[in-house]
Amino acid sequence: MSARAARHGALHLASILVGAAIVVPIVFGVLGGFKDNGQLFTNPFGLPDPWIPGNYTDILGSGAFWRQAGNSVGIAIATTVGVVGIGAMAAYIFARYAFPGRETLFTVFAIGLMFPFAVAILPLFVLLREMGLLGNPLGVVLPQIAFGLPVTIVVLRGFFRGIPPEVEESAVLDGAGPVRFFWRILLPMSRPALGTVSVLAVVGSWNNYLLPLIVFNDSRWWTLPLGVQQFQSQYSADTARILAYVTLAMIPALLCYAFAERQLVGGLTSGIGKG
Amino acid sequence: MVIIERRPAAPARPPVRSRSRRRRPWPTIVLFLAPALLLFGLLVLAPIVVAGYASLFTWNGFGVPTQFVGLENFRRLLTDEIFAGDLRRTLLLVTLSIGIQLPFSLVLAMLLNQPLRGRRAYRLVFFAPYVLSEVVTAVLFTMIFSPNQGLANHITRLIGLGDLGATWLADPDTVMYSLFLVISWKYFGFHTLLYLAARQSIPPELHDAAATDGAGPWRAFRHITLPLLGPTIRISVFLSVLGTVQLFDMVWVLTGGGPIRSSETLAVTMFQEGFKRFHVGYASAISMAIFLISLFFGLLYQRFVLRRDLEGAVTTMGDRR
């Protein structure tokens, strides 16, 4: 019994140590934002003394932060609606219709899982320039949709296949065409899978950096990652202020995570975790 | 990004179709597939073709490429010391990830699988960095590694290492290890969670039976848990390698590739050449190199390593029919 207790203690200790390694940098950021640079130098670990909310209030009072957050939200929503809608339509065909070349086409999409923005960014830049989409949020949204399609299609096809064919048969007998079946029956039945791919799309869009970096020259459309980096180079000597900005930029992502943890984790481990 | 489809063990259910009901499926197929094909073709496939084409030219990115040089850009790439350095650094990060980060994640997943108070809270915390953007993470750690006010140096001083780590990101000898530290901070939770999910889907009867037969925890781990985690480990290695080959955001913000290019990655070199120096032809050749490395690795890995998983041979304990 005591050996078990010891093992249990070691377990706790290890978990706490790792948890601390994760949390300490974040707490350093949050508290650092409430200090000034002198305090950061002399008192990096402790609570701020005195608390200086100025860094936070300055940022929250500036239009730039809110504009960037708004841009991030708008672009994330547009991307998610687009990629889930278009991806679901394609996944429906891949799951339910047989036609020559279907598997080849699906494989092309699946290989797309391996394409990162980094590979395509140069020609993408050239293409977007030709299409007049530089400086336009569509220049970020459309490529994000395109690059998000593989994961969306792969997940949704798997889910759609699991829905019994009898459901579709009876819908067709009741006179529903494919569009009606898709819209009124298939999508409502697929809420869990749609939730998963939506969360993936939101997180992907929210965190994207390279694409907005090359598309938006003008700070009007900047998203939070661009704003954070720009803020860092602008105030490079003012560590406390940058920490406040980083903290404020972290909060939406962490809140969203706390809210949608199951969906996100379920999505990431689905298909892998079964082993 | 992350999800790999596992082929079902049983043959896929044939789609329901009867001649009388769906006489003309083609309009539906075209209607539903067209938007995806259009966007994917135009914005994912076409750029890769364009990159392949542009890599054959000396081109500054403006107008139409005219100065055809054939494979000259690739020849130059193979003799380029910076490119060779990129490959070495990628290999270093891959080695560190597979050798340190993933085993660490595995151990942690096994810990979290034990009955432990607050297990759910630990899970939440370990995974949290994964949702932060690489840029936000990088800026935060730039501050942590800052020579004067940063946390890192305070910690080394506190544990008696003095200013050993005064130059985390500023010293060519340490920068890659600091980078690895940040990458691990952000991603180990993701791998831990994959392993944990896989561990929890192993039917408990197997471990019960092993315990009854007198197997200790180590033997049970070695002969039951580890083999059954195989597919998950292989996929996590796959994701880790691809992620490393394509690394950009984190490095660009954390170090910009410096000092003196000692932390430059393939994608950073590509970005420098393409967007800073306007050597678009040469940069396209680097893009193609990243693409080909990813593709070759991906295909070979799927062919030789993931194949048995995809065939569902060892993996589908739960739904073997």
Side-chain angles (χ1 to χ4, degrees):
Chain A
M1 198 60 207
S2 78
R4 237 185 100 176
R7 235 183 71 192
H8 211 71
L11 246 168
H12 267 291
L13 190 68
S15 306
I16 289 170
L17 278 179
V18 179
I22 292 298
V23 169
V24 163
I26 294 179
V27 173
F28 171 74
V30 177
L31 292 182
F34 284 106
K35 297 175 181 175
D36 58 28
N37 289 300
Q39 282 191 51
L40 270 176
F41 185 69
T42 51
N43 171 28
F45 290 109
L47 290 174
D49 177 30
W51 290 69
I52 301 169
N55 290 322
Y56 285 107
T57 51
D58 280 359
I59 294 163
L60 291 174
S62 81
F65 175 80
W66 293 106
R67 202 172 50 236
Q68 288 157 15
N71 290 340
S72 281
V73 170
I75 287 172
I77 290 175
T79 301
T80 306
V81 170
V83 76
V84 174
I86 293 172
M89 285 163 65
Y92 169 54
I93 299 297
F94 282 128
R96 294 283 175 156
Y97 284 74
F99 59 92
R102 182 184 71 168
E103 290 311 306
T104 316
L105 207 52
F106 179 74
T107 308
V108 172
F109 274 102
I111 288 179
L113 284 171
M114 287 189 271
F115 295 166
F117 278 111
V119 167
I121 201 72
L122 259 171
L124 201 55
F125 176 78
V126 174
L127 274 172
L128 293 172
R129 194 178 61 197
E130 296 301 312
M131 293 155 77
L133 288 179
L134 291 186
N136 183 330
L138 278 180
V140 171
V141 170
L142 293 179
Q144 281 187 168
I145 294 175
F147 277 82
L149 282 173
V151 95
T152 312
I153 291 176
V154 167
V155 172
L156 288 183
R157 177 172 102 141
F159 191 88
F160 290 167
R161 276 188 159 176
I163 291 179
E166 290 77 20
V167 174
E168 186 165 6
E169 275 168 45
S170 62
V172 172
L173 284 181
D174 287 347
V179 177
R180 209 178 144 82
F181 166 75
F182 175 76
W183 185 250
R184 303 294 292 273
I185 298 169
L186 188 70
L187 288 190
M189 282 183 77
S190 309
R191 283 224 187 89
L194 293 177
T196 296
V197 289
S198 301
V199 173
L200 288 178
V202 169
V203 172
S205 170
W206 189 266
N207 289 342
N208 199 351
Y209 169 69
L210 185 52
L211 190 61
L213 177 71
I214 63 147
V215 171
F216 299 136
N217 243 325
D218 175 356
S219 65
R220 198 161 64 96
W221 284 108
W222 277 359
T223 52
L224 270 176
L226 294 184
V228 170
Q229 203 224 345
Q230 158 62 23
F231 196 83
Q232 183 205 8
S233 36
Q234 189 180 341
Y235 293 93
S236 57
D238 196 346
T239 307
R241 189 179 282 261
I242 298 168
L243 287 176
Y245 210 97
V246 171
T247 302
L248 289 174
M250 282 193 297
I251 288 173
L254 290 177
L255 279 183
C256 177
Y257 166 57
F259 187 71
E261 184 238 344
R262 273 180 193 284
Q263 221 99 58
L264 180 67
V265 172
L268 292 171
T269 52
S270 74
I272 303 178
K274 265 168 53 184
Chain B
M1 180 180 60
V2 159
I3 289 150
I4 306 276
E5 188 190 40
R6 174 160 299 154
R7 207 163 288 167
R13 192 179 285 128
V16 212
R17 294 208 310 129
S18 95
R19 222 170 271 277
S20 60
R21 262 184 274 137
R22 214 174 265 151
R23 236 168 279 136
R24 299 190 309 128
W26 280 106
T28 312
I29 294 178
V30 172
L31 175 75
F32 275 69
L33 221 44
L37 282 180
L38 194 72
L39 276 177
F40 191 76
L42 186 64
L43 296 172
V44 179
L45 295 183
I48 288 165
V49 176
V50 172
Y53 180 70
S55 69
L56 305 175
F57 291 83
T58 296
W59 184 37
N60 63 4
F62 296 96
V64 178
T66 50
Q67 204 180 334
F68 183 80
V69 292
L71 295 178
E72 168 61 23
N73 282 325
F74 290 95
R75 198 198 55 76
R76 204 180 121 199
L77 206 57
L78 291 178
T79 54
D80 187 341
E81 185 44 44
I82 295 162
F83 181 71
D86 292 348
L87 291 179
R88 269 201 310 275
R89 285 183 284 274
T90 302
L91 206 60
L92 173 70
L93 283 183
V94 165
T95 314
L96 290 174
S97 294
I98 296 177
I100 299 176
Q101 189 198 351
L102 298 188
F104 178 71
S105 299
L106 184 62
V107 170
L108 218 58
M110 295 306 107
L111 285 185
L112 286 185
N113 187 52
Q114 313 275 331
L116 184 71
R117 266 177 77 94
R119 188 167 69 172
R120 201 181 122 68
Y122 286 125
R123 265 179 51 170
L124 257 165
V125 166
F126 290 174
F127 194 70
Y130 183 76
V131 300
L132 299 180
S133 81
E134 295 214 342
V135 172
V136 164
T137 309
V139 173
L140 177 63
F141 273 87
T142 316
M143 301 296 110
I144 285 173
F145 287 136
S146 127
N148 287 324
Q149 289 141 327
L151 191 64
N153 281 340
H154 280 287
I155 290 178
T156 53
R157 259 176 242 139
L158 203 71
I159 57 178
L161 289 174
D163 275 346
L164 187 77
T167 49
W168 298 87
L169 297 172
D171 183 340
D173 291 332
T174 55
V175 64
M176 287 307 289
Y177 299 97
S178 308
L179 181 63
F180 172 69
L181 215 61
V182 184
I183 293 175
S184 299
W185 183 83
K186 181 156 161 55
Y187 288 105
F188 87 87
F190 167 71
H191 296 282
T192 305
L193 225 73
L194 289 188
Y195 298 149
L196 185 62
R199 173 66 185 82
Q200 290 181 337
S201 71
I202 298 176
E205 297 83 40
L206 291 178
H207 286 87
D208 292 348
T212 315
D213 291 345
W218 169 247
R219 284 193 54 179
F221 175 76
R222 174 73 192 79
H223 293 289
I224 296 174
T225 314
L226 202 56
L228 288 175
L229 288 188
T232 309
I233 294 175
R234 289 192 280 276
I235 283 179
S236 119
V237 167
F238 178 75
L239 295 173
S240 180
V241 173
L242 274 189
T244 308
V245 170
Q246 299 160 353
L247 195 64
F248 176 80
D249 297 8
M250 187 89 91
V251 184
W252 184 247
V253 178
L254 207 54
T255 68
I260 33 178
R261 310 195 105 158
S262 56
S263 64
E264 220 166 288
T265 58
L266 291 163
V268 170
T269 308
M270 184 275 293
F271 192 83
Q272 298 268 22
E273 292 291 337
F275 289 98
K276 302 285 165 188
R277 299 195 187 96
F278 302 106
H279 299 161
V280 174
Y282 188 54
S284 297
I286 304 176
S287 287
M288 289 317 286
I290 302 175
F291 174 62
L292 291 177
I293 292 171
S294 303
L295 192 68
F296 269 115
F297 170 75
L299 293 179
L300 285 179
Y301 198 83
Q302 294 208 332
R303 176 82 180 72
F304 292 106
V305 183
L306 292 180
R307 190 178 47 154
R308 33 188 187 152
D309 303 337
L310 295 174
E311 280 167 0
V314 266
T315 62
T316 44
M317 289 302 295
D319 52 18
R320 181 177 289 161
R321 275 157 234 191

